[in-house]
Amino acid sequence: MKRGRKTNEANSSSSEETTEEESKRHKVTDEKTISVPHPDWANLLQDIILQVFQYLPLLDRAHASQVCRSWNQVFHMPDLWRCFEFELNQPATSYLRATHPELIKQIIKRHSNHLQYVSFKVDSSKESAEAACDILSQLVNCSLKTLGLISTARPSFMDLPKSHFISALTVVFVNSKSLSSLKIDDTPVDDPSLKVLVANNSDTLKLLKMSSCPHVSPAGILCVADQCHGLRELALNYHLLSDELLLALSSEKHVRLEHLRIDVVSENPGQTQFHTIQKSSWDAFITHSPKVNLVMYFFLYEEEFDPFFRYEIPVTHLYFGRSVSKDVLGRVGMTCPRLVELVVCANGLRPLDEELIRIAERCKYLSAVGLGECEVSCSAFVEFVKMCGGRLSQLSIMEEVLIPDQKYSLEQIHWEVSKHLGRVWFPDMMPTW
C-alpha cells in the first residue's frame, strides 16, 4: 500500500513536471509566433518593386502605383519608362488595348526625356495615326534610340496629310541626336526628312527599315548610305534598289552591311514593271560585304517573275508569299548558291520533286526550309533531306505537302527523315477547331 502510494505520487509529480515543461514550451512557441513581423509592403526596397513593375502589364502597373507613396515613386522612376509601346486605336474597330489618354499625358509631361526605345502600334483608322503624330510632335525633350511605327492593318499613316506626318517625325529627328534604329514602313516619309535624319543622327544610325514608302527616292537612300557610316542593316522596297545604290553601298568609303532586306511587292497587280539589277552590281556589292545576309521577300504574280533569277544573285534568305511556279523554283536552284533559308507558301498542284533536288545539289549552305501549299513526293523529300543532311536545322513541312508513293507512306516518312536529320522530326499538322 505504501509502496503503491509512493509510486503514484512519483508518477503524479513526473506528470506535473511534464505538463509544466510543455506549457513553457508552448508559451515560448506562442511568443515566437507572435513576435514574427508581418511583411511591410510599403517599405520594400525600391529595386525589388521596380523589378516587379517591369513584369506587370501597363494597366496593372498604373493601378499598383496607387497603393502607396513609395510604389508611386517607383512608378515614375526613369528606368521604368526607357522602353514603351503606345497602342492607339478606335475601340469599335480594333482589338488593341489602347493606352489610356491620361497616362499618355503623364508620360509626355514627366517621362518624355526618359523614353529611349519607343514604338507606336496603330489600327487601320486615320484617327489612331493622327494621335501617334500628335504624341511624336510633343517629344521635344526626348533622346530616342529606337523608333518604330507599326500599322496593324492597312497602312493608316498613309492616310495622313504628308506635311502633318513629316512635321511630327522631324521633331524626333532633330531632338534625338542618337537614333540607332528606325522602322517606318508604309509611311509618307520623304527625301528631305531623311536629310534631317542624317544631319542629326549620322553617327549613330545602324538600322533603317522603310519598305513601302512611295515618297522616298533612290537619291534619299543614297543620302543615308553615304553619310551614316555605322549603318549595318537596311530594308527597302525593290523599286528603290538600283545599280547606282548597290555600287554606292560597295564603295570603299562605305561600311560593310550585315543585313539587306528587299521587299519585292506588286503594288498594281499585273501592271507593275520591275527593272533588272545587273550581275556586275551584285558582284561588287558581295565583294565589298562578303558576309551580308541578303533577304528577299516576293509577293508577286507568276507573270511578274520574269526579270528575276535569270543569273546568279547573292541572296541568302528567300520568302515567296504568293504562289510561285515550278519554273521559278527551278531557277532558284541554279542562281542562288548562297541560299540559307527558303520559304514557299504555295506552288500549285505540280510536284516540286526535281526542283527540291536541284536546290539540295546547288545550295550547299541551305539550313532552313518551309513549305506550305505545295506537293512533294515522299521519296523525293527523303532524298532532299538525305542530300542536305544534318545542316537542316529548321524543317517546317505541312503534312498535306507530302504525297505517299510506292516507297514511303506518311507513317514511314517520319522515321526515315528523322534518321537522316539525326533528330526526331514530324511534319507540321494543320490545326483543327
Side-chain angles (χ1 to χ4, degrees):
M1 293 277 297
K2 290 182 180 179
R3 190 181 301 120
R5 189 181 301 123
K6 288 182 179 179
T7 303
N8 290 336
E9 288 176 355
N11 289 339
S12 176
S13 175
S14 174
S15 177
E16 289 176 359
E17 289 177 0
T18 302
T19 304
E20 187 177 351
E21 288 177 2
E22 289 180 354
S23 177
K24 289 180 180 179
R25 189 160 53 247
H26 286 308
K27 185 177 181 181
V28 171
T29 304
D30 291 342
E31 288 176 354
K32 287 182 178 179
T33 303
I34 293 172
S35 65
V36 173
H38 293 291
D40 187 355
W41 296 103
N43 291 323
L44 278 177
L45 292 176
Q46 288 194 337
D47 288 345
I48 295 176
I49 303 173
L50 180 64
Q51 290 185 36
V52 173
F53 274 25
Q54 288 173 338
Y55 286 100
L56 290 178
L58 179 61
L59 190 59
D60 294 340
R61 190 190 301 173
H63 288 157
S65 70
Q66 300 174 18
V67 169
C68 63
R69 182 178 298 176
S70 175
W71 287 24
N72 188 263
Q73 290 174 349
V74 174
F75 180 72
H76 291 292
M77 289 178 69
D79 286 349
L80 207 57
W81 300 100
R82 300 198 191 284
C83 181
F84 193 83
E85 180 178 81
F86 293 90
E87 290 194 25
L88 306 167
N89 71 313
Q90 300 301 304
T93 60
S94 176
Y95 64 88
L96 294 178
R97 294 180 62 182
T99 308
H100 197 280
E102 289 302 318
L103 182 56
I104 293 175
K105 289 181 182 179
Q106 276 200 53
I107 294 170
I108 294 173
K109 182 179 179 180
R110 301 185 60 170
H111 302 294
S112 63
N113 59 326
H114 301 147
L115 296 172
Q116 293 185 3
Y117 309 94
V118 174
S119 60
F120 291 82
K121 185 182 289 185
V122 303
D123 60 9
S124 60
S125 65
K126 180 180 178 181
E127 292 80 4
S128 299
E130 287 177 339
C133 286
D134 289 341
I135 296 171
L136 283 172
S137 300
Q138 298 178 61
L139 298 182
V140 293
N141 297 320
C142 71
S143 184
L144 296 186
K145 294 183 178 180
T146 294
L147 174 63
L149 302 179
I150 305 163
S151 293
T152 58
R154 64 186 179 84
S156 50
F157 287 105
M158 292 300 298
D159 293 336
L160 299 179
K162 179 183 169 185
S163 58
H164 180 39
F165 178 84
I166 295 301
S167 175
L169 199 61
T170 301
V171 169
V172 176
F173 288 171
V174 170
N175 289 282
S176 288
K177 307 293 185 183
S178 58
L179 267 175
S180 63
S181 176
L182 181 62
K183 301 177 183 180
I184 46 174
D185 293 346
D186 301 301
T187 64
V189 64
D190 59 8
D191 290 357
S193 59
L194 288 181
K195 290 183 179 180
V196 176
L197 168 69
V198 170
N200 292 277
N201 300 272
S202 61
D203 294 333
T204 58
L205 191 66
K206 294 182 179 180
L207 181 151
L208 178 60
K209 189 173 186 293
M210 45 181 301
S211 298
S212 300
C213 296
H215 301 297
V216 173
S217 72
I221 297 295
L222 279 175
C223 172
V224 176
D226 287 341
Q227 301 298 319
C228 299
H229 301 296
L231 194 65
R232 293 292 184 275
E233 185 170 348
L234 181 62
L236 58 151
N237 267 70
Y238 184 80
H239 77 271
L240 290 173
L241 189 68
S242 63
D243 294 294
E244 182 184 16
L245 177 59
L246 281 177
L247 292 174
L249 293 173
S250 308
S251 66
E252 286 301 320
K253 69 175 183 177
H254 197 272
V255 70
R256 289 173 172 81
L257 282 178
E258 296 174 1
H259 302 276
L260 175 61
R261 170 176 167 146
I262 308 297
D263 290 342
V264 192
V265 181
S266 178
E267 297 180 359
N268 298 301
Q271 302 179 9
T272 305
Q273 297 293 322
F274 291 96
H275 59 283
T276 300
I277 302 295
Q278 299 297 319
K279 184 178 184 300
S280 56
S281 302
W282 284 122
D283 290 343
F285 174 68
I286 203 63
T287 299
H288 179 71
S289 302
K291 296 183 179 180
V292 68
N293 286 310
L294 175 59
V295 182
M296 298 189 76
Y297 173 78
F298 286 88
F299 201 80
L300 304 180
Y301 292 96
E302 184 174 338
E303 63 273 11
E304 296 173 321
F305 274 102
D306 190 61
F308 303 99
F309 307 110
R310 290 297 180 184
Y311 51 79
E312 190 172 298
I313 59 174
V315 63
T316 56
H317 298 71
L318 264 179
Y319 303 92
F320 293 101
R322 188 174 281 150
S323 181
V324 59
S325 68
K326 283 172 62 69
D327 175 59
V328 171
L329 288 175
R331 282 155 38 193
V332 166
M334 300 294 293
T335 60
C336 304
R338 297 179 76 241
L339 192 63
V340 172
E341 181 176 11
L342 173 66
V343 176
V344 181
C345 291
N347 163 256
L349 299 178
R350 298 174 62 192
L352 300 176
D353 295 6
E354 297 176 2
E355 290 71 24
L356 273 186
I357 298 300
R358 183 178 300 161
I359 288 171
E361 289 175 343
R362 302 296 184 95
C363 305
K364 302 298 184 181
Y365 304 103
L366 188 68
S367 62
V369 176
L371 299 179
E373 297 179 17
C374 310
E375 285 192 357
V376 180
S377 72
C378 286
S379 294
F381 182 65
V382 170
E383 183 64 21
F384 167 78
V385 174
K386 184 178 179 180
M387 294 173 69
C388 293
R391 74 170 187 267
L392 282 175
S393 58
Q394 297 181 34
L395 188 60
S396 178
I397 311 296
M398 299 300 298
E399 187 180 54
E400 291 77 7
V401 169
L402 302 171
I403 308 302
D405 52 29
Q406 294 180 347
K407 196 169 183 181
Y408 298 104
S409 67
L410 287 177
E411 291 74 22
Q412 294 170 317
I413 198 169
H414 143 64
W415 298 104
E416 194 66 24
V417 171
S418 297
K419 180 177 70 176
H420 294 299
L421 286 179
R423 66 180 189 277
V424 176
W425 178 85
F426 288 95
D428 296 338
M429 302 292 291
M430 183 70 73
T432 56
W433 290 274

